[in-house]
């Protein structure tokens, strides 16, 4: 009991510490001072009166939301003497693997840089700065020569690294046999099985109304949709993050989604946020980074060719270029197993005083990175808000999809969850695919790394991301991947090659995700 | 005896021919006995012309109405809508209500337009009222964006002035007639780009008016960022959304072809602007289409014979939405392009023809023009009933005003429980 209490007070202390540095704290302080003018605040009961005032005026709610937001990424309780690396990633072998992967990426980046004789960063001459400022809203029309640039890595390179992950402490006594090497992922992490998933995703059950199922044309709106919309409006009026998160498990009405996501992610566009974004924009104008070309190339290769997102090409540059200069992103590395790459001022290699993080936000984009931003353009058309939402989505969720960690929402766990679900509940399919050299993970990996962006129709993708926010977990991606295989099982059983399997699963744009998930979790005979 | 449908066409497009062949129809020439003729607009003129025309027999169908040009020629469309409005005003219909500025409340959906050179002086008067406005000149008889240009100075259209002293300009035959419309310089932009909507509407009869809207319309985006700046008036890539023009732009992408589905548009608008205004927008679009058809309904039939039963027509409606979410009817095409610019496009147009044929030639059998042109719900495919005059009138006085949300056409159109009825709102 005492241990729990002291754990709790430690957590509280840490959160208080964190929030003291935020603008919310300054605002609360200002509000408290201003409230002294109010007649109901009496000197004798100052503390209670101010607390009451905060409650009534909605400031307490804002504080609640901020605390809730902090808790959602708070690392799991650990030993008080644990070193900070342990908070990033408790398993040593994972940390090591992530470290060597990072070294490889940085090496690749540096060698590209040397080959092309382009500096990692340079200050733009004034003329170029002016030009860029003029073109800020239409950078898509720029056609720089990107032919020599290659993406630093693609998802399939990352998959190879994950396949080779081994836990040196794990010895299961079996000699190398068929059974020990069924799937591609060979590390023993705990993943949920279907009964546990059913418990976890209970709101997706057959008896609960869902958007994505129960708002279809055949169902009269009085049965579910109208009431759900009404509740959604109420949640927004209350401005309660936790309630919104619970509500959105059943899906968000299209018209309310933008606000609901902002509420859950605790984003409110304050003037200082807009100012911060403008500051980042200035940084982009003044300095040119090598990663900018990587971003350009990625957008041109992916989003520009996408039926849904090509319209927003210019927004993508505006968000991603600013993102790579945003040093506030560095704080998420406290709970990310990855570490920001370091680079050195020219000529001072190895001297720690001259080390800088490169890119400034510590995140090197890979092929398909821009697809994390693209769906958000359907919801937010104001660049600074779009930016804030994306940044928060990244530091809460997306980073886990391309760093090696043991976290249940980390990509390694997702891969293992996917494979285990298939092996356990669709063994015949799994065996067949393996036999023809079409390991299922090789096909589904890219879906999960991109959180299905660019593979599903946008309205379906947004329904899926609703649930990611609602459950504060990415496990649903692995479940959906397995559900897709289950859905196309009949066709897959007939193919005889990896290429043919890929072809069966090439087009997911007609899939409806919620029925697939519901059937797989709750209606499949096991 | 059920023979195979004999078809003719003078438009060699695979989306058509594949559809005919998959139904097992037999190709013949126009001099033989044919049942179905998919003709170009030039040919239809001959079929129905007083001199060279001929009577169609009961088992013959063509894909145009004889007087379709009343709707599809830019000048005639405007004339007819103006006439329709005046008629309604004269009979005191509430539809013709005007606001305090004299603008029609419900029927103001065509940008201010004048014919040149006939209305030149009227135009000049209007132009002088707002001299900083931009106007768009369009040749009446051309398509695909040909011959269109923008002006913002009277001097740019001196040639069309009625009593022009520059008589070197050859006298204007009807072929060279132009319309000049107020340019909508505040279009709704998405991603900073201008776009227009192309919607397909099938009319199976005008009397009674029965029309269907194809669910899979699309938005055509310009490849270049929109700017109302006058320096870019000559840059057709900024202003004209016709694919025929955009195709030649540097940034034209052959994968998506600069096109979005209407459902994407709806998702975007609902997410960023809310459901009510989006539903209202789509309601207004449906309203515009039906009103434009009603305006020409009395004219679509030759006075002497009733050709309605031999005809159907699939129109391509071009609509622009301004930044106040008001839709404007730009023009109606009688022969919407059957060329496909992308793979998706090809599939769309193939399905469009397929669904059109299913409604116009039921069961793929030899047509009998005595049938009542009332196809069962199942064959509609991707079409939805837009307006059915017979059913609408059958309701009589107690026709309800339906509530907006969930009842308008769009992804939820099938929700209407009695699917034969109109699904539009604000009918008075």
């Amino acid at each position: 009991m005492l241990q729990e209490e002291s754990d709790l007070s430690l957590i509280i202390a840490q959160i208080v510490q964190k929030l003291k540095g935020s603008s919310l704290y300054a605002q609360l302080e200002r509000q408290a001072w201003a409230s002294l003018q109010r007649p109901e605040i009496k000197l004798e009961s100052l503390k209670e009166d101010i607390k009451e005032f905060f409650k009534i005026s909605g400031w307490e709610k804002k504080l609640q939301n901020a605390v809730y937001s902090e808790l959602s990424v708070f690392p799991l309780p650990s030993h008080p003497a644990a070193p900070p690396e342990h908070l990033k990633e408790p398993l040593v072998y994972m940390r090591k693997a992530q470290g060597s992967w990072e070294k490889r990426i940085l090496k690749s980046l540096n060698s590209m840089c040397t080959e092309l004789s382009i500096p990692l960063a340079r200050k733009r001459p004034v003329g170029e700065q002016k030009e860029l400022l003029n073109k800020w809203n239409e950078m898509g029309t720029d056609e720089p020569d990107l032919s020599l640039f290659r993406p630093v890595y693609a998802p399939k390179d990352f998959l190879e690294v994950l396949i080779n992950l081994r836990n040196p402490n794990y010895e299961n006594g079996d000699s190398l046999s068929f059974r020990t090497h069924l799937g591609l992922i060979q590390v023993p992490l705990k993943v949920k099985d279907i009964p546990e998933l059913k418990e976890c995703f209970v709101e997706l059950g057959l008896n609960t109304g869902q958007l994505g199922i129960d708002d279809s044309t055949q169902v009269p709106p009085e049965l579910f949709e109208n009431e759900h919309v009404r509740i959604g409006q109420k949640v927004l009026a209350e401005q309660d993050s936790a309630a919104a998160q619970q509500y959105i498990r059943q899906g968000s009405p299209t018209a309310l989604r933008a606000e609901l996501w902002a509420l859950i992610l605790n984003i409110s566009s304050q003037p200082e946020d807009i100012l911060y974004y403008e500051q980042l924009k200035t940084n982009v104008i003044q300095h040119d980074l090598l990663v900018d070309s990587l971003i350009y190339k990625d957008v041109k290769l992916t989003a520009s060719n996408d039926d849904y997102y090509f319209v927003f090409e210019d927004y993508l540059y505006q968000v991603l270029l600013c993102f790579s200069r945003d040093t506030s992103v560095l704080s998420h590395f406290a709970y990310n197993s990855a570490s920001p790459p370091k680079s050195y001022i020219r000529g001072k290699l190895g001297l720690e005083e001259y080390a800088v993080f490169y890119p400034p936000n510590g995140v090197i984009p890979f092929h398909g990175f821009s697809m994390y931003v693209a769906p958000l353009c359907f919801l937010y058309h104001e660049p600074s808000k779009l930016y804030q939402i994306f940044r928060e989505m990244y530091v809460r969720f997306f980073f886990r999809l391309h760093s090696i960690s043991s976290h249940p929402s980390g990509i390694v766990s997702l891969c293992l969850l996917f494979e285990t679900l298939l092996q356990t509940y669709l063994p015949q399919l799994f065996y067949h695919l393996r036999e023809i050299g079409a390991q299922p993970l090789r096909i589904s990996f890219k879906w999960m790394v991109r959180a299905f962006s660019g593979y599903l129709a946008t309205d379906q993708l947004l329904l899926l991301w609703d649930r990611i926010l609602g459950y504060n977990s990415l496990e649903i991606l692995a479940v959906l991947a397995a559900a897709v295989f289950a859905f196309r099982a009949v066709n897959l059983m007939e193919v005889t090659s990896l290429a043919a399997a890929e072809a069966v699963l090439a087009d997911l744009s007609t899939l409806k995700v919620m029925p697939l998930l519901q059937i797989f979790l709750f209606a499949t005979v096991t | 005896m059920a023979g195979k449908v004999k078809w003719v066409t003078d438009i060699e497009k695979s989306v058509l021919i594949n559809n005919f062949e998959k139904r097992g129809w037999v190709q013949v020439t126009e001099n033989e006995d044919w049942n179905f003729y998919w003709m170009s607009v030039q040919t239809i003129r001959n079929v129905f012309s007083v001199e060279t025309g001929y009577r169609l027999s009961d088992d013959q169908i063509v894909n145009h109405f004889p007087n379709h040009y009343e709707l599809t020629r830019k000048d005639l469309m405007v004339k007819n809508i103006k006439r329709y409005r005046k008629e309604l005003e004269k009979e005191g219909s509430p539809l013709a209500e005007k606001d305090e500025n004299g603008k029609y409340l419900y029927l103001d959906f065509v940008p201010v337009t004048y014919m040149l050179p006939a209305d030149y002086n009227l135009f000049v008067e209007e132009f002088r009222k707002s001299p900083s406005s931009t106007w768009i000149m369009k040749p009446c008889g051309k398509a695909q964006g040909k011959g269109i240009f923008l002006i913002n100075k009277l001097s740019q259209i001196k040639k069309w002035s009625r009593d022009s002293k520059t008589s070197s300009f050859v006298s204007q035959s009807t072929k060279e007639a132009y319309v000049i419309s107020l340019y909508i310089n505040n279009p709704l932009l998405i991603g900073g780009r201008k776009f227009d909507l192309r919607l397909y509407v099938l009319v199976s009869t005008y009397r009674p008016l029965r029309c269907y809207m194809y669910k899979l319309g699309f938005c055509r985006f310009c490849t270049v960022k929109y700017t109302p700046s006058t320096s870019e008036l000559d840059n057709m890539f900024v202003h004209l959304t016709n694919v025929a023009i955009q195709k030649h732009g540097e940034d034209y992408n052959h994968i998506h072809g600069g096109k979005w589905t209407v459902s994407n548009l709806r998702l975007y608008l609902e997410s960023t602007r809310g459901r009510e205004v989006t539903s209202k927008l789509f309601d207004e679009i449906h309203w515009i289409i039906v009103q434009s058809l009603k305006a020409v309904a009395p004219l679509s039939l030759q006075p002497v014979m009733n050709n309605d039963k031999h005809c159907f027509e699939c129109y391509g409606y071009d609509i622009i939405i301004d930044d106040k979410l008001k839709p404007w009817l730009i023009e109606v095409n009688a022969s919407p392009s059957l060329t496909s610019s992308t793979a998706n496009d090809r599939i769309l147009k193939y399905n469009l023809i397929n669904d059109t044929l299913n409604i116009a030639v039921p069961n793929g059998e030899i047509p009998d023009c005595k049938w009542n042109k009332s196809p069962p719900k199942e064959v509609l495919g991707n079409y939805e009933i837009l307006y059915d005059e017979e059913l609408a009138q059958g309701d009589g006085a107690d026709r309800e005003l339906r509530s907006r949300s969930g009842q308008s056409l769009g992804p939820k159109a099938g929700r209407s429980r009695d699917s034969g009825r109109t699904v539009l709102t604000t009918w008075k």
Side-chain angles (χ1 to χ4, degrees), chain B residues 9 39 65 123 174 299 361 381 390 403 405 411:
Chain B
T9 182
M39 40 177 86
F65 285 94
F123 162 69
T174 42
L299 302 174
V361 187
E390 218 167 39
S403 68
S405 57

Side-chain angles (χ1 to χ4, degrees), chain A residues 59-124:
Chain A
W59 281 99
E60 189 190 45
K61 218 1 111 57
K62 291 206 175 92
L63 181 60
Q64 262 180 357
N65 289 346
V67 172
Y68 196 68
S69 176
E70 291 299 323
L71 280 177
S72 61
V73 287
F74 215 74
L76 309 159
S78 52
H79 196 276
E85 305 94 77
H86 208 78
L87 287 174
K88 286 159 71 81
E89 170 51 53
L91 298 179
V92 175
Y93 75 91
M94 292 261 180
R95 287 207 300 266
K96 282 217 177 92
Q98 173 67 22
S100 40
W101 169 239
E102 277 164 19
K103 277 208 190 76
R104 265 178 68 184
I105 301 177
L106 195 55
K107 197 154 162 233
S108 166
L109 187 65
N110 279 329
S111 62
M112 191 184 340
C113 179
T114 324
E115 257 173 53
L116 303 176
S117 330
I118 297 178
L120 286 176
R122 69 174 176 102
K123 193 166 169 85
R124 285 190 223 267

Side-chain angles (χ1 to χ4, degrees), chain A residues 251-426:
Chain A
S252 164
T254 328
L256 303 180
R257 185 175 277 127
E259 282 179 65
L260 276 171
W261 283 23
L263 179 56
I264 295 172
L265 297 169
N266 203 30
I267 305 280
S268 58
S269 262
Q270 303 293 332
E272 53 260 28
D273 301 314
I274 302 178
L275 216 58
Y276 189 76
Y277 176 74
E278 291 296 318
Q279 179 74 24
L280 291 175
K281 180 175 160 184
T282 315
N283 291 347
V284 176
I285 305 279
Q286 287 178 343
H287 289 90
D288 179 26
L289 298 180
L290 179 66
V291 286
D292 290 352
S293 306
L294 297 177
I295 289 171
Y296 265 108
K297 181 126 196 177
D298 186 46
V299 173
K300 289 281 182 209
L301 284 177
T302 56
S304 300
N305 291 329
D306 187 291
D307 285 340
Y308 295 94
Y309 306 122
F310 71 90
V311 177
F312 303 114
E313 184 181 340
D314 297 319
Y315 285 2
L316 297 180
Y317 299 120
Q318 292 175 27
V319 167
L320 288 167
L321 292 180
C322 288
F323 182 64
S324 49
R325 281 136 177 97
D326 192 346
T327 50
S328 72
V329 173
L330 292 173
S331 57
H332 92 285
F333 286 106
Y335 50 86
N336 182 354
S337 63
S339 300
K342 266 202 255 198
S343 183
Y344 298 90
I345 307 282
R346 195 187 290 264
K348 311 276 189 206
L349 190 66
L351 298 175
E352 276 312 308
E353 318 76 273
Y354 294 97
V356 291
F357 292 127
Y358 185 85
N361 72 341
V363 180
I364 297 185
F366 56 89
H367 177 64
F369 194 83
S370 54
M371 296 304 279
Y372 288 140
V373 190
L376 303 174
C377 298
F378 264 83
L379 301 175
Y380 305 99
H381 53 165
E382 205 271 291
S384 73
K385 187 114 190 240
L386 175 62
Y387 177 75
Q388 281 185 282
I389 297 274
F390 165 65
R391 180 179 59 184
E392 189 62 27
M393 290 285 280
Y394 183 81
V395 301
R396 265 206 217 188
F397 302 112
F398 296 145
F399 75 90
R400 298 200 193 277
L401 296 172
H402 48 267
S403 45
I404 305 176
S405 85
S406 59
H407 194 275
S409 272
I411 188 72
V412 184
S413 304
L414 296 185
C415 290
L416 192 57
L417 175 58
F418 166 74
E419 287 193 316
T420 314
L421 284 174
L422 272 193
Q423 287 162 19
T424 318
Y425 300 103
L426 293 160

Side-chain angles (χ1 to χ4, degrees), chain A residues 137-138 140-141 143 215-217 219-222 225 229 254-255 257-258 300 304-315 377-381 458-459 462, chain B residues 190-193 221 223-226 250-251 253 255-261 264-276 344 411-415 417:
Chain A
N137 287 326
E138 41 185 42
T141 52
E143 284 287 348
D215 56 334
S216 75
T217 51
V219 180
E222 302 83 59
E225 198 184 349
V229 172
T254 328
R257 185 175 277 127
K300 289 281 182 209
S304 300
N305 291 329
D306 187 291
D307 285 340
Y308 295 94
Y309 306 122
F310 71 90
V311 177
F312 303 114
E313 184 181 340
D314 297 319
Y315 285 2
C377 298
F378 264 83
L379 301 175
Y380 305 99
H381 53 165
T458 307
D459 63 326
L462 293 173
Chain B
I190 297 187
R193 288 186 208 171
F221 281 88
T223 52
V224 176
K225 269 291 195 331
Y226 178 75
E250 277 177 356
D251 290 319
N253 182 300
I255 297 181
H256 51 71
K259 289 183 181 165
W260 242 19
T261 60
N264 274 353
L265 176 67
R266 206 180 176 120
L267 176 65
Y268 176 80
L269 288 177
E270 268 188 32
S271 302
T272 53
R273 304 270 192 144
R275 194 183 239 187
E276 288 74 33
N344 282 345
K412 295 187 194 253
R415 192 187 286 280
R417 249 139 293 163

Side-chain angles (χ1 to χ4, degrees), chain B residues 347-359:
Chain B
I347 296 174
L348 177 119
K349 292 194 171 143
Y350 178 86
N351 288 330
L352 173 68
I353 304 292
N354 187 38
D355 291 334
T356 305
L357 293 178
N358 282 342
I359 295 180

